[in-house]
Amino acid sequence: MATKDLITKVWIEEGCIVCDACETAAPDVFEVQDETCVIRPAALDASFTKPLSSDIEDAAEECPVDVIKFDTITEEVPDGEAEPAKPSEPAEEKPTAAEKAPPTPSTTASEKPAEKKKAKPEVATVTASMAGQPDPAIAGLLRAATARGGNAGILKKEESMPGGAEAWQKKDPNELPPDARQTKVLEAAKKAKQDPDSSRRALVSSAALAVGWGAFGLGAGVAGGPAFARFMMPNVLEEPDPRVRVGKLAQYIEMEPGAVNEAYKPQGIWMIREEGRVVALNIICTHLGCIPNWLPNDRKFKCPCHGSGYKPDGINFEGPTPRPLERFRLYMSDGIVVVDKSKKYQYELGQWDMLGSFLEV
Ligand code: FES
């Protein structure tokens, strides 16, 4: 008989930015409301959450501000129902026999993420992007944009806009009501990148919560104490590598001028073939930070939040955005095209002809 960690209790701490990611991962458990996310009543019962443990863990991992917490209990399950070990997880992360020894006490909410964080290197160099994995901040924005219903979101918003869409689309961008949810997601994602501890410090600054955590720490006792302490300790500084390897130059030479390659959208990049050049567009809308969709039939990028439109080269031509999309630096390394997202080029500053803003093909 195998064992498995099952979730007996789930809750959301202060600091939710209403990004929809948790509801997308576990819709039976989380409900996103206007100002925050709540646990659905049925999910207050352990018998309901146990079978949904994997979904809840996914939601917690995908939460950009790390406010989803849960308690688990280790139970015996039939061999086929045990989670297979993830190939990418180092062997030392697996719980030891000693850690599994207490048969019934619940694992504390903070213990699980702390165990994972314990194994992370305490250095700022991470090569996730170079390995082709999605940028976590971009992934959060993409999920939020998808949950909003893409272009359907524009229509919904039009109905609630006094004077209709035409009136507000002609307005100065500074006069427009901001899209609060998307702005919050973007700001929090940026903040989390720069300062992974920000959400914890915000949490500690709340006196009421501090009292609550104190009680929690006492209640966790000796077994939960070290995990609680690790959770409250400063987190590791982890910066995603801004460089993304986007394949050989030959594939871009073969593309038709004006063609768009969306393969690296999860990393925040559209690769665009232009006449005699290849360029890398930043997928973030220059209005308020949503992620536009590429509409191949209309041959344009269309932002689902307020309707900004961009041509394939990134030039804006409709909607409230005041400027074109940005471009990233490109260079060759060992025959591979590399996009460096730490260096951006802006059309309105005359930077699109600068060396590095394109590769000649
Ligand atoms: Fe407003 Fe894109 S964020 S149009």
Side-chain angles (χ1 to χ4, degrees):
M1 195 75 105
T3 59
K4 187 175 178 180
D5 290 340
L6 299 175
I7 292 177
T8 54
K9 183 181 175 185
V10 58
W11 68 96
I12 301 168
E13 290 177 348
E14 195 174 84
C16 170
I17 55 169
V18 205
C19 72
D20 297 339
C22 58
E23 188 175 324
T24 304
D28 293 332
V29 176
F30 301 99
E31 182 184 354
V32 176
Q33 299 184 341
D34 283 349
E35 294 299 324
T36 189
C37 178
V38 297
I39 306 295
R40 294 185 190 275
L44 299 175
D45 189 326
S47 62
F48 185 89
T49 55
K50 281 182 183 179
L52 296 173
S53 295
S54 300
D55 289 349
I56 297 170
E57 286 178 10
D58 286 348
E61 276 184 18
E62 292 180 5
C63 174
V65 286
D66 195 22
V67 295
I68 296 173
K69 304 296 173 189
F70 50 80
D71 284 343
T72 61
I73 189 169
T74 304
E75 286 188 359
E76 290 190 336
V77 294
D79 283 343
E81 290 183 25
E83 293 273 352
K86 290 179 185 171
S88 58
E89 286 180 358
E92 59 270 24
E93 277 193 70
K94 292 176 187 170
T96 63
E99 285 170 326
K100 282 186 176 179
T104 50
S106 294
T107 306
T108 61
S110 56
E111 197 167 347
K112 195 172 184 79
E115 285 297 319
K116 290 185 178 176
K117 281 165 186 160
K118 182 177 63 172
K120 289 183 181 175
E122 295 193 13
V123 291
T125 319
V126 174
T127 54
S129 293
M130 286 293 275
Q133 291 176 12
D135 182 318
I138 294 294
L141 282 170
L142 277 171
R143 279 192 299 276
T146 305
R148 292 167 60 87
N151 287 335
I154 300 171
L155 300 174
K156 196 174 165 196
K157 208 166 184 72
E158 283 175 8
E159 289 163 14
S160 60
M161 284 284 185
E166 281 184 14
W168 63 265
Q169 281 189 344
K170 286 177 188 159
K171 279 182 180 284
D172 184 294
N174 295 325
E175 294 176 32
L176 284 171
D179 185 312
R181 181 177 296 184
Q182 286 290 338
T183 305
K184 279 162 83 178
V185 172
L186 189 69
E187 283 174 357
K190 280 182 182 166
K191 202 172 172 188
K193 263 187 172 182
Q194 292 161 358
D195 181 2
D197 291 333
S198 57
S199 62
R200 285 184 178 78
R201 278 202 293 274
L203 178 140
V204 173
S205 68
S206 159
L209 273 175
V211 170
W213 274 103
F216 166 70
L218 285 174
V222 176
F228 178 74
R230 277 201 302 278
F231 177 73
M232 296 308 290
M233 287 292 285
N235 201 353
V236 291
L237 176 62
E238 199 172 284
E239 282 292 326
D241 193 321
R243 298 163 301 166
V244 181
R245 294 162 67 89
V246 294
K248 294 184 176 174
L249 191 60
Q251 68 173 298
Y252 299 106
I253 293 174
E254 288 168 8
M255 288 166 63
E256 291 289 323
V260 174
N261 179 339
E262 290 208 274
Y264 299 95
K265 189 173 179 182
Q267 285 85 10
I269 304 161
W270 281 308
M271 296 298 296
I272 313 294
R273 175 72 150 90
E274 297 190 332
E275 200 67 59
R277 292 178 170 188
V278 57
V279 302
L281 280 185
N282 183 355
I283 68 169
I284 303 295
C285 179
T286 48
H287 179 221
L288 287 174
C290 287
I291 296 183
N293 299 307
W294 168 240
L295 307 180
N297 292 339
D298 297 334
R299 295 207 44 74
K300 67 180 180 182
F301 299 103
K302 186 71 173 173
C303 185
C305 290
H306 312 102
S308 290
Y310 304 87
K311 295 177 183 173
D313 59 3
I315 297 288
N316 56 307
F317 69 97
E318 64 181 353
T321 188
R323 63 190 181 93
L325 296 174
E326 295 172 340
R327 293 183 175 186
F328 294 126
R329 177 179 172 238
L330 286 162
Y331 64 93
M332 296 295 297
S333 174
D334 296 330
I336 300 292
V337 180
V338 178
V339 176
D340 179 1
K341 299 200 302 180
S342 66
K343 172 69 182 166
K344 294 174 187 166
Y345 299 90
Q346 293 180 224
Y347 175 84
E348 63 276 18
L349 301 180
Q351 296 175 332
W352 278 12
D353 279 325
M354 286 175 69
L355 214 59
S357 68
F358 61 88
L359 280 178
E360 284 187 4
V361 293

